Amino acid sequence: MTEKKRFAQIERITNETQISVAIDLDGEGKANIKTGVGFMDHMLDLFIKHGLFDGTIHANGDTYIDDHHTTEDLGIVLGQAIREALGDKKGIKRYGTAFVPMDDALAQVVVDCSNRPHLEYRVPALKEKVGTFDTELVHEFLWKFALEARMNVHVIVPYGYNTHHIIEAIFKALARAIDVAVEIDPRVKGVPSTKGLLT
């Protein structure tokens, strides 16, 4: 019996952005990222590679204004793509957690593919910018991602002082937590819920 391919491709076109995301949850960490937002290129490249997904993420947005619309819409479309790729969620572990250190910083991300979106963001104050990137957009991206993926996403950073390191640890931990949560466990019959559904 051939295993069902857990792949999705989503496009979103608005007056502000054009976003295209293709993701294979059972990949090898192959990333093709070009968003027009350099810092997000770096973070999404880390996300794909550390989650061992295969992903193509392209964006063209109104970055002449700022990076807000592009970053927000990247979270929306990536969340939608992961949700679609998961399908009926039969056989998945559902929960995932990961701790990732990045030099001075430590991040923990815990996810639940519950169909109940929520973001809990416990992160120390960040410097306002990393290069030209507004760091408040990290929360914006994660909130829209959690909403559209319909996941519980808890982000906890107990310590860290370098803003780049903190954000990088968050994205790596998010990837690894999702990788655990979407893993197929042969012991799971149907969906891992006493309600009988996760859709």
Side-chain angles (χ1 to χ4, degrees):
M1 187 170 115
T2 304
E3 287 187 9
K4 183 178 176 184
K5 191 143 179 84
R6 300 193 298 168
F7 172 86
Q9 185 165 2
I10 302 284
E11 292 187 355
R12 173 184 168 92
I13 298 174
T14 72
N15 291 333
E16 298 165 343
T17 64
Q18 299 85 46
I19 312 281
S20 174
V21 173
I23 192 159
D24 182 348
L25 297 179
D26 303 303
E28 300 174 347
K30 296 176 183 175
N32 179 352
I33 314 293
K34 188 175 181 183
T35 70
V37 180
F39 189 73
M40 286 303 295
D41 283 357
H42 181 35
M43 293 302 109
L44 292 170
D45 185 61
L46 294 170
F47 176 84
I48 294 296
K49 289 180 179 175
H50 285 267
L52 292 174
F53 313 124
D54 287 343
T56 298
I57 303 174
H58 291 168
N60 181 27
D62 55 2
T63 54
Y64 62 90
I65 297 174
D66 64 12
D67 296 335
H68 184 104
H69 295 141
T70 301
T71 302
E72 177 182 30
D73 286 4
L74 283 165
I76 289 171
V77 182
L78 181 60
Q80 290 173 345
I82 288 178
R83 182 183 179 196
E84 183 173 309
L86 269 173
D88 58 17
K89 303 178 184 174
K90 286 182 179 177
I92 66 167
K93 288 187 172 179
R94 176 178 168 178
Y95 302 99
T97 186
F99 286 90
V100 170
M102 179 65 195
D103 295 348
D104 55 281
L106 179 69
Q108 180 187 20
V109 174
V110 185
V111 300
D112 176 9
C113 303
S114 62
N115 201 43
R116 294 190 305 277
H118 179 80
L119 174 66
E120 197 66 34
Y121 187 73
R122 306 288 181 93
V123 176
L126 302 173
K127 292 181 181 175
E128 288 186 9
K129 288 185 180 290
V130 174
T132 61
F133 183 79
D134 294 320
T135 59
E136 68 179 6
L137 295 178
V138 174
H139 180 277
E140 191 69 22
F141 172 89
L142 291 169
W143 162 231
K144 293 304 167 56
F145 173 83
L147 185 65
E148 296 297 334
R150 300 197 63 81
M151 287 184 185
N152 263 228
V153 179
H154 289 241
V155 178
I156 304 149
V157 177
Y159 53 81
Y161 60 83
N162 182 285
T163 295
H164 187 128
H165 293 166
I166 291 169
I167 299 170
E168 184 166 330
I170 289 170
F171 273 81
K172 288 176 177 177
L174 176 66
R176 289 179 174 267
I178 291 172
D179 183 45
V180 172
V182 304
E183 184 179 344
I184 299 295
D185 186 335
R187 297 171 299 172
V188 177
K189 308 304 177 188
V191 296
S193 171
T194 54
K195 295 177 182 177
L197 57 86
L198 285 170
T199 58

